[in-house]
Every structure is written in C-alpha cells, then in structure tokens.
C-alpha cells in the first residue's frame, strides 16, 4: 500500500493521456464505466512502422461493437471522421467526434495497407464487462480429465481484478487445472488494475519499473500476499492491439517465467505523459517517465515480444478457441503441451 501511495501521481498522469479533460472518457471507449455510447474504438497516434502515416491508428476495436462488426481492426488508420481529416486532429477531439447519442451515425474513412474504405457506423452502447470465461473440454480423458480455463480480459476497468479472481475460482470448481489468459485487443485502462491482476498470478517478483532520465524511479512488486493462482500452468495470448496496462501485465508474467506468451509483438505504449491544457483550449503532452519490464526491457514502440507465434488462422472468440484445442486436424490447433511447456 505504501508503494501505491507514493507512486499515486504517476498513474494519475497516465490516466490523463487517455482521458478527455471535458468528458473523462477514454478515446472511443471508457476505462472505468460499464458501458459507453459510441463505436467501440481505442485509438492513438501511429507508432513504430506506422509512424510516417498521418491520421490516427486503431489500437483495438471492442468485440461485438459497431467498429468491430464493420471490420475495423488493430493497425488500421482513421483518415477522416465525418469528412474531417484526422491528420492534425488530437485524440481528445477524435474521441468526442466518435462518441454521441445512441442511434446516431458517424462516417469513418479508414486506411488498411493501400486500401481506403468509407464506413458508416451507428453509435450504440458498447458493453465493457471486462471478463469472459469458459471451460475448454479436451477430447480425451473422460469427464474427470483436467480441463483448460479460458479467460478473456478486454479492459482494465475498476472491476477487472475482482472479475479475474472470480473467474479463476469459478473455473477451479469445474476441474480446471490450467489457464489461458487472452489479452488480445486489450488496449489497457487503469494502471493499478494491471498491477493487481499481475499479483493474482505471481507469488513474488517485480511487476514493473517506472523509470525517468535518472533511472529507476519506482518499483511495483509483489510478496505473494494477493496471489490466487501461482502454480497452475498459464499461457497468455497477445497481439498488436495489446497495449499499455496489458503490456505491463504480459511483460511481468513473461519475465517472471510465470507464463509463455503466444501471438505477435504488442502495441508498444511505454511512456507516461502528463497533459497540460493551454489557454486556447488545446493541450500539450509531456513525457515524464517510462515503463520497463522486470527484465528492464523498454517496451515503447517495441512492445512485448511473445515466446511463440499463433497459427495465422487462430480465432479470437472463445468458442472457436476451444475448438482449436479439441480438433487436432484443425489448421489452428494447439495442444496442451505446446501451450504450457516452458
């Protein structure tokens, strides 16, 4: 608790990067509420290989939301919102344009590779229930065989750590002896919830370092007092839509050798910035610190590198995920040994 109190200003400034001072809502979706009326997008400025692109990059699209159903996905570039160019548009301005009354429309011009599309979306309430879980029954071993518990964590809101704990306990009651934590397209949210969820899986170790120009500024670690599942095999799924608090969690589990990571390099959001509002209503973001994983890897613009790729056809929905484990003939098949070997 002392550590969290001492570092409180750091995670508060992190929140300012994503929250609009006027509406206190994250760009395209909310990090702390149960639902938001909008299109279900998390957006940011282009990073890494997209740095030369103008516009705003899609970090993730909420599963089942209007943008997701329209085919918008991580890495797409939003060129226009209602015929207004995003070339010099701030993310707060874009967030306000994407949000609006339920049932109202918004038109997006989206670039993917060399293809440009105009898409008309209808705003709706996008649910931000942070956790979905299910049991994946394996094809051999009978009813008493150990099963795999699948946990999809979609955002780090104020209920996230409690929801993960509840999912673990419920799955255990159904003979689950191993877990898969899916962080794909989770663009982050509340930093303290990322730390708390890491404590659920780790019995000890550093979770993340906060560093500035003089070196390590703060250390978040765990002594095992909050651990719930430190011994069961664990695999973590990540992709380019895994960002911010999700990267902190993935990096902590990987570097502490608690889990194998599967997928593709994560987004690479590793800076902590403070936003200062100017007299004309605009704002300026100033980098005050950065994250480093327990192995002192700077993730900014690089991301967390997974241990193994996933098959190209590997699905994102929970039902299809289970099918890939159950059917050895499927192109997306991964067996238990592949998932949980270290």
């Amino acid at each position: 608790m002392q550590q969290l109190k001492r570092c409180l200003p750091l995670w508060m400034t992190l929140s300012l990067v994503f929250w609009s001072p006027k509406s206190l809502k994250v760009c395209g979706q909310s990090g702390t509420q149960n639902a938001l009326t909008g299109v279900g997008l998390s957006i940011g400025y282009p990073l890494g290989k997209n740095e030369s692109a103008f516009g705003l990059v899609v970090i993730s699209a909420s599963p089942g939301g209007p943008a997701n159903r329209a085919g918008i996905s991580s890495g797409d570039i939003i060129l226009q919102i209602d015929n207004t160019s995003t070339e010099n548009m701030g993310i707060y301005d874009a967030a306000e344009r994407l949000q609006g009354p339920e049932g109202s429309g918004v038109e997006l011009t989206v670039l993917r590779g060399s293809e440009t599309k105009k898409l008309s979306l209808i705003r709706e309430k996008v649910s931000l229930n942070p956790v979905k879980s299910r049991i994946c029954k394996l094809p051999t071993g009978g009813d008493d065989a150990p099963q795999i518990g699948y946990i999809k964590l979609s955002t780090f809101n104020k209920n996230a750590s409690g929801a993960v704990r509840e999912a673990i306990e419920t799955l255990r009651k159904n003979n689950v002896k191993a877990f898969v934590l899916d962080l794909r397209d989770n663009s982050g949210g509340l930093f303290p919830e990322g730390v708390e969820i890491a404590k659920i899986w780790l019995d000890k170790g550093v979770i993340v370092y906060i560093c500035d120009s003089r070196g390590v500024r703060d250390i978040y670690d765990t002594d095992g007092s909050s651990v719930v599942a430190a011994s069961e095999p664990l695999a973590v799924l990540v992709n380019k839509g895994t960002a911010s608090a999700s990267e902190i969690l993935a990096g902590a589990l990987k570097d502490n050798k608690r889990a194998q990571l599967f997928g593709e390099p994560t987004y690479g959001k590793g800076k902590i910035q403070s936003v200062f509002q100017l007299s004309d209503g605009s704002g300026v973001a100033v980098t005050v610190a950065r994250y480093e994983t327990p192995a002192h890897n700077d993730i900014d613009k690089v991301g967390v590198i997974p241990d193994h790729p996933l098959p190209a056809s590997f699905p994102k929905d929970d039902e299809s995920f289970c099918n890939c484990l159950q059917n050895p003939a499927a192109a997306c098949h991964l067996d238990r040994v592949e998932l949980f070997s270290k």
Side-chain angles (χ1 to χ4, degrees):
M1 183 62 69
Q2 290 283 12
Q3 189 72 23
L4 282 175
K5 287 182 178 178
R6 186 160 62 90
C7 297
L8 186 62
L10 289 179
W11 65 257
M12 288 179 69
T13 56
L14 173 66
S15 297
L16 286 173
V17 180
F18 294 94
W19 287 20
S20 162
K22 294 181 180 178
S23 63
L24 292 182
K25 290 179 179 177
V26 185
C27 305
Q29 68 179 45
S30 168
T32 58
Q33 304 300 320
N34 291 327
L36 175 72
T37 301
V39 297
L41 280 177
S42 179
I43 57 176
Y45 299 114
L47 294 175
K49 62 183 180 181
N50 288 325
E51 208 162 27
S52 60
F54 66 88
L56 297 170
V57 68
V58 174
I59 300 174
S60 65
S62 297
N68 175 258
R69 295 199 306 270
I72 298 175
S73 61
S74 303
D76 290 350
I77 303 294
I78 300 175
L79 302 178
Q80 293 182 336
I81 303 175
D82 282 334
N83 296 318
T84 300
S85 172
T86 61
E87 182 172 2
N88 297 308
M89 186 182 293
I91 53 176
Y92 301 142
D93 185 10
E96 291 181 354
R97 292 172 184 269
L98 291 171
Q99 296 165 17
E102 185 176 8
S104 61
V106 60
E107 187 175 85
L108 303 183
T109 303
V110 177
L111 174 68
R112 179 181 297 169
S114 59
E115 183 181 8
T116 301
K117 290 184 178 180
K118 280 189 175 289
L119 300 171
S120 295
L121 307 180
I122 303 299
R123 298 180 180 96
E124 61 186 52
K125 286 185 179 178
V126 180
S127 175
L128 292 176
N129 183 11
V131 168
K132 294 173 75 174
S133 63
R134 69 175 295 145
I135 299 169
C136 292
K137 294 189 175 182
L138 301 181
T140 59
D143 292 338
D144 295 329
Q147 309 298 344
I148 293 175
Y150 173 87
I151 299 174
K152 171 69 176 179
L153 179 60
S154 58
T155 189
F156 290 81
N157 64 17
K158 63 182 179 180
N159 302 317
S161 59
V164 171
R165 288 175 184 272
E166 183 178 348
I168 292 171
E169 296 299 343
T170 300
L171 291 169
R172 274 180 172 161
K173 292 176 183 177
N174 289 276
N175 203 32
V176 163
K177 303 295 184 182
F179 294 98
V180 173
L181 178 63
D182 192 346
L183 298 177
R184 291 175 296 172
D185 293 329
N186 182 329
S187 59
L190 297 178
F191 171 74
E193 285 298 296
V195 172
E196 288 305 309
I197 293 171
K199 290 179 179 180
I200 289 173
W201 300 101
L202 294 171
D203 58 359
K204 61 180 179 179
V206 171
I207 296 169
V208 66
Y209 294 104
I210 305 294
C211 303
D212 59 17
S213 59
R214 293 173 293 181
V216 175
R217 176 169 165 176
D218 283 290
I219 302 172
Y220 287 82
D221 56 13
T222 182
D223 60 4
S225 58
S226 299
V227 70
V228 174
S231 59
E232 291 100 336
L234 174 66
V236 177
L237 311 184
V238 297
N239 66 0
K240 60 187 176 183
T242 303
S244 195
S246 289
E247 295 176 283
I248 291 169
L249 176 56
L253 296 176
K254 177 184 178 182
D255 287 359
N256 282 287
K257 302 188 185 306
R258 175 64 185 90
Q260 292 276 306
L261 268 58
F262 291 80
E264 58 188 352
T266 61
Y267 180 74
K269 171 66 177 70
K271 287 192 174 101
I272 301 173
Q273 296 175 308
S274 185
V275 178
F276 299 93
Q277 190 167 6
L278 304 180
S279 59
D280 63 355
S282 62
V284 59
V286 178
T287 298
V288 296
R290 70 181 186 277
Y291 297 123
E292 286 187 3
T293 71
H296 287 289
N297 294 317
D298 185 348
I299 65 173
D300 196 58
K301 298 186 181 181
V302 177
V304 179
I305 308 302
D307 300 291
H308 309 284
L310 283 172
S313 58
F314 206 81
K316 290 185 178 180
D317 63 289
D318 53 350
E319 184 174 352
S320 297
F321 168 81
C322 289
N323 290 337
C324 289
L325 298 186
Q326 294 164 346
N327 183 8
C332 62
H333 180 67
L334 279 178
D335 64 30
R336 183 186 175 96
V337 174
E338 289 178 291
L339 273 174
F340 302 117
S341 63
K342 290 189 178 181

